[in-house]
Amino acid sequence: MLTLTQSGNQVKLSGQLDFDSVAEQLRNPSIRFDVGDLSVDLCEISRFNSASLALLLEWMKMAQQKGAQIKYHNAPDQLMAIARAYGLDHELPLTSA
C-alpha cells in the first residue's frame, strides 16, 4: 500500500511503490501539480521496482505540463541503482538518502 501526503508543494510517499500502487497512481494521481515546483520525499518507500521509475517519470511530465518542476529527495540506494541500470539516473531529478 502506498500513502501519499501533500502539504503545499511538499509531498511525502511511504509504503510500497510497486506495480499495483503505480498502476493506481497512473489511473488516478493523488498528487496535486497546481502548487508550483514540487519536492517529493521518498525516504519511507519500503518496496519499489522498475514500475516506480515509470511513475516518477510520468509525474515529472505532468509537472512540466503545469509549468512546474519536480524533485525527488532521499531516494533509497536500491532505487538509485535501478535508475542507473535503466539509464534514467540523469533523466530523473533524484537525490539519494
Side-chain angles (χ1 to χ4, degrees):
M1 183 171 135
L2 178 69
T3 302
L4 184 150
T5 54
Q6 184 170 359
S7 177
N9 67 343
Q10 301 293 313
V11 178
K12 186 164 193 150
L13 300 179
S14 59
Q16 299 180 7
L17 193 55
D18 56 16
F19 291 111
D20 292 333
S21 61
V22 166
E24 177 60 29
Q25 284 297 313
L26 289 172
R27 280 190 304 275
N28 301 304
S30 299
I31 195 169
R32 289 185 7 250
F33 294 97
D34 59 350
V35 295
D37 293 347
L38 291 164
S39 177
V40 180
D41 188 347
L42 304 171
C43 74
E44 292 185 13
I45 295 295
S46 60
R47 189 172 182 193
F48 43 84
N49 53 34
S50 58
S52 308
L53 297 177
L55 178 64
L56 299 182
L57 283 168
E58 183 61 23
W59 280 354
M60 188 176 76
K61 290 177 191 175
M62 293 171 88
Q64 289 172 344
Q65 289 171 350
K66 294 286 187 179
Q69 297 206 355
I70 191 167
K71 293 186 181 178
Y72 302 106
H73 302 281
N74 300 316
D77 290 338
Q78 289 178 309
L79 184 59
M80 296 291 287
I82 293 171
R84 277 191 298 279
Y86 282 95
L88 296 173
D89 53 323
H90 297 295
E91 299 292 324
L92 281 168
L94 283 171
T95 59
S96 61

